[in-house]
Amino acid sequence: MRTLTRPLIATSLAATVLLTACGAPRDEADEATDSSTSEETTEAASCDKESLETLGDGVLTVGTDSPAYEPWFVDDDPTNGEGYESAVAYAIAEQLGYAADEVEWVVVPFNAVVSPGEKKFDFDVNQVSITEERRNAVDFSSGYYDVRQTVITNAGSAIDGATAIADLADAKLGAQVGTTSYNAISEQIGTSEQAAAYDTNDQAVQALKNGQIDGIVVDLPTAYFMVAAQLDDGVIVGQLPLPDGEVEQFGAVLDKDSPLTDCVSQAVDALREDGTLDQLADEWLAQQGAPELS
């Protein structure tokens, strides 16, 4: 594993932000009058690298699925620090005090990430949308990416040129099983055809190539990658409206009641506040817009 150097995440800045996020110490006079001080000091100590309860001593274990898709990862290699989620994972690690060579990756299938049960990772990044239903089984960090679900198809298909959700009513759409993309087919689009479920996005792409489905529902950056790199004549139909106007977000997944949840959230919050998440999105994710389906 090679050591990564990212000028945009200065070590001194990371240390400063982490201290602020975890709660700065107060003087004795404040401690005498404010009962919350001892709690804040304890919280600050708990986010120190030496105090973190990780699976491996001195190591941060990060999970993701295989294959690891672009643009979230590059060359199916999470360890190279390339791709948005790989870069975010290493940025979180740095906020927590871990160097790149102190990060270890493990393969975890998507469904195993969000299912109940003890995890073999400290946190997982795998385009997992934060939902209240999933919170029953796992913990989430603060959101590190705001998601828009998007419909793609082949040029000249029955849904190419659709401008409204009603235009998709009779379409056969598919998505990776267990994802919010899959749920959106029935919950937001409401197609008359049963949604086609696939274990991986690659299988969905192949089904679209074979004419077995009319389109795929995926997040917007993945949609751009599919039409640009995986489909010969792929086109983006449009983005779905936000359900109930609420922003959907990807978050790092942790074991239920993990002692690391608060500190990972604080790290993500710091990365959002100092502009790192925006810089990484500009570097790795397609930022051009896509039409909105009415």
Side-chain angles (χ1 to χ4, degrees):
M1 183 185 305
R2 66 188 177 116
T3 301
L4 305 177
T5 301
R6 290 198 172 273
L8 60 89
I9 311 171
T11 302
S12 60
L13 176 60
T16 301
V17 175
L18 180 58
L19 179 61
T20 302
C22 292
R26 303 183 184 183
D27 60 31
E28 292 182 1
D30 288 337
E31 291 178 5
T33 58
D34 188 348
S35 61
S36 67
T37 301
S38 60
E39 296 177 1
E40 292 182 2
T41 304
T42 300
E43 184 180 354
S46 70
C47 288
D48 181 80
K49 177 184 176 183
E50 301 304 319
S51 302
L52 296 177
E53 298 179 34
T54 57
L55 290 178
D57 187 23
V59 174
L60 192 65
T61 304
V62 183
T64 199
D65 204 349
S66 180
Y69 293 105
E70 296 190 23
W72 311 102
F73 302 90
V74 174
D75 295 332
D76 192 17
D77 181 11
T79 70
N80 62 20
E82 299 179 356
Y84 182 75
E85 286 190 318
S86 178
V88 166
Y90 281 110
I92 292 172
E94 186 174 349
Q95 289 285 335
L96 297 176
Y98 290 86
D101 60 3
E102 295 174 311
V103 176
E104 293 185 355
W105 290 85
V106 293
V107 174
V108 186
F110 183 91
N111 287 337
V113 172
V114 295
S115 299
E118 188 174 354
K119 307 304 181 187
K120 62 177 183 179
F121 52 77
D122 293 313
F123 69 83
D124 182 281
V125 288
N126 191 26
Q127 305 113 69
V128 183
S129 294
I130 302 170
T131 69
E132 291 308 309
E133 180 180 4
R134 288 172 176 168
R135 285 188 191 276
N136 294 325
V138 296
D139 280 0
F140 283 99
S141 72
S142 300
Y144 58 76
Y145 182 73
D146 296 350
V147 187
R148 292 298 300 270
Q149 298 298 334
T150 307
V151 181
I152 68 170
T153 190
N154 285 319
S157 78
I159 62 173
D160 183 16
T163 60
I165 291 178
D167 298 333
L168 307 175
D170 296 325
K172 179 70 173 181
L173 301 177
Q176 184 175 352
V177 67
T179 64
T180 51
S181 300
Y182 180 80
N183 293 341
I185 297 174
S186 59
E187 295 175 3
Q188 289 183 259
I189 301 174
T191 57
S192 58
E193 292 273 353
Q194 175 68 36
Y198 300 97
D199 290 333
T200 68
N201 282 335
D202 283 347
Q203 291 178 1
V205 168
Q206 192 58 51
L208 181 57
K209 287 182 176 179
N210 294 341
Q212 296 168 304
I213 54 177
D214 297 314
I216 302 172
V217 178
V218 290
D219 60 82
L220 183 59
T222 301
Y224 278 119
F225 174 72
M226 285 180 172
V227 291
Q230 294 186 294
L231 294 167
D232 295 332
D233 54 356
V235 293
I236 292 178
V237 177
Q239 300 179 75
L240 300 181
L242 292 172
D244 301 320
E246 297 181 2
V247 176
E248 181 181 347
Q249 292 184 313
F250 290 157
V253 182
L254 300 94
D255 202 357
K256 186 67 176 174
D257 300 322
S258 168
L260 299 176
T261 301
D262 287 344
C263 291
V264 174
S265 285
Q266 289 167 17
V268 172
D269 291 343
L271 294 171
R272 184 178 292 275
E273 290 167 8
D274 71 12
T276 297
L277 294 182
D278 287 339
Q279 292 179 50
L280 294 178
D282 288 342
E283 181 176 1
W284 296 111
L285 303 180
Q287 297 299 303
Q288 61 266 41
E292 297 269 349
L293 294 171
S294 59

